[in-house]
């Protein structure tokens, strides 16, 4: 009995310490994370209610990775895309070479962003109904109302905007088709044609929606995964869900590049991203 007690005595402090930390952990208020709930956008919502939903959509779908909200800055803020603050007031009469009223201007900007470019900004925004934003018709309506509220008054009900392409309904404002991928395009051109540069920065700096296209960073991540840089990049392109980089939203990168690109095109992109000759 005494021998058993002697064997157990040294363990008593450890047992007490474990019990203390377990009790302390249970005492701390517990938090639970859940993904954002899908917004219910129904025909009975007022334009003001849709605008509030649109504000959430703009924030959650990564729009502010390129656009800014800078009061008093005019169209040219500090982002890669135009400043959104006051956009409805600036575009109340549309723009030269674009639709002549703010609603049609905003719809075209979302469906066909390359149709009219704000001076000083490159054509890097993909159609909002495609990746990475993937807005539904109802979400487009909400975003249009939100943008209207930035210097104006939300006014659009569900069903009043033209439908996006491919919906089977007539649409006065047509969106551009997805860009064709030239068979002989080099890696740099392919990244532009596919809209990759809308989400990935070309060099280290302000964080974009996706990881930066930096060869050193790519090689470092590949090494951490125990893969060659070429294999890691190929996996990231054709199966983006296989590995999720910390700090970046999941599920935004299209998963069909493996069927859209030829082996030669994939190799060209990989060579270009790694800074190799022949890209």
């Amino acid at each position: 009995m005494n021998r058993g007690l002697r064997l157990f005595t040294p363990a008593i402090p450890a047992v007490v310490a474990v019990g203390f930390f377990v009790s302390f952990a249970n005492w701390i208020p517990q938090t639970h994370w859940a993904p954002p709930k899908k917004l219910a956008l129904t025909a009975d919502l007022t334009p003001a209610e849709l605008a509030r939903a649109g504000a959430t959509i703009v924030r959650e779908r990564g729009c502010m990775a390129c656009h800014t909200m800078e009061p008093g800055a005019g169209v040219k803020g500090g982002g890669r895309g135009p400043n959104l603050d006051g956009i409805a007031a600036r575009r109340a009469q549309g723009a030269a070479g674009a639709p002549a009223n703010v609603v049609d201007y905003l719809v075209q900007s979302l469906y066909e962003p390359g149709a009219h470019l704000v001076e000083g900004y490159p054509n890097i925004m993909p159609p909002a109904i495609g990746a990475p934003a993937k807005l539904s018709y109802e979400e487009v309506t909400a975003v249009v109302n939100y943008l209207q509220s930035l210097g104006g008054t939300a006014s659009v009900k569900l069903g009043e905007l033209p439908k996006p392409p491919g919906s089977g309904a007539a649409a006065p404002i047509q969106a551009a088709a997805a860009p064709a991928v030239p068979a002989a395009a080099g890696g740099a051109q392919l990244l532009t044609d596919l809209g990759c540069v809308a989400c990935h920065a070309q060099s280290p700096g302000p964080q974009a929606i996706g990881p930066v296209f930096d060869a050193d960073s790519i090689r470092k991540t590949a090494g951490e995964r125990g893969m060659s840089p070429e294999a890691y990049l190929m996996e990231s392109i054709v199966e983006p869900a296989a590995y999720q980089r910390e700090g970046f939203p999941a599920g935004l990168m299209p998963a069909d590049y493996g069927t859209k690109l030829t082996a030669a095109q994939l190799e060209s992109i990989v060579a270009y991203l790694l800074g190799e000759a022949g890209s």
Side-chain angles (χ1 to χ4, degrees):
M1 176 67 179
N2 290 338
R3 181 173 179 274
L5 184 60
R6 285 196 304 273
L7 291 174
F8 178 73
T9 298
I12 292 177
V15 172
V16 172
V18 170
F20 169 78
F21 284 111
V22 169
S23 299
F24 181 74
N26 289 329
W27 172 78
I28 297 173
Q30 302 298 302
T31 59
H32 174 72
W33 180 88
K37 293 182 179 178
K38 186 173 178 62
L39 298 173
L41 302 175
T42 55
D44 61 327
L45 293 180
T46 66
E49 290 170 329
L50 287 167
R52 287 193 289 273
T56 300
I57 293 167
V58 165
R59 184 179 66 253
E60 292 183 346
R61 300 300 177 86
C63 305
M64 303 311 294
C66 292
H67 295 282
T68 57
M69 194 71 67
E70 301 177 60
V75 68
K76 292 186 181 296
R80 296 198 299 159
N83 177 29
L84 296 182
D85 187 77
I87 186 173
R90 289 196 304 271
R91 301 303 186 195
Q93 306 302 319
N101 66 78
V102 66
V103 172
D104 286 347
Y105 173 83
L106 293 172
V107 172
Q108 185 189 68
S109 297
L110 293 170
Y111 284 168
E112 191 182 359
H116 174 78
L117 298 178
V118 175
E119 185 179 356
Y121 291 96
N123 184 16
I124 61 172
M125 178 175 164
I129 57 174
K134 299 181 182 178
L135 300 188
S136 66
Y137 170 72
E138 292 77 13
E139 290 169 334
V140 167
T141 305
V143 169
V144 167
N145 276 293
Y146 170 60
L147 295 175
Q148 266 194 292
S149 74
L150 301 176
T153 303
S155 66
V156 182
K157 293 276 290 181
L158 279 175
E160 294 179 352
L161 295 182
K163 295 281 187 177
S167 64
I173 302 174
Q174 296 294 328
V181 181
Q189 186 62 48
L190 284 165
L191 294 178
T192 300
D193 293 340
L194 293 167
C196 307
V197 294
C199 294
H200 299 273
Q202 300 276 38
S203 59
Q207 181 168 305
I209 300 173
V212 65
F213 285 156
D214 174 64
D216 290 339
S217 176
I218 291 169
R219 290 189 172 91
K220 180 176 182 294
T221 304
E224 292 170 351
R225 296 203 65 210
M227 304 172 70
S228 70
E230 293 79 6
Y232 167 65
L233 278 175
M234 199 70 74
E235 177 193 68
S236 299
I237 296 169
V238 304
E239 194 178 355
Y243 175 71
Q244 180 61 42
R245 286 278 298 275
E246 185 177 350
F248 297 95
L252 294 184
M253 181 167 167
D256 59 351
Y257 287 140
T259 59
K260 292 171 65 174
L261 297 171
T262 66
Q265 288 169 333
L266 286 168
E267 290 173 1
S268 181
I269 292 173
V270 168
Y272 172 72
L273 291 176
L274 294 176
E276 298 173 3
S279 62

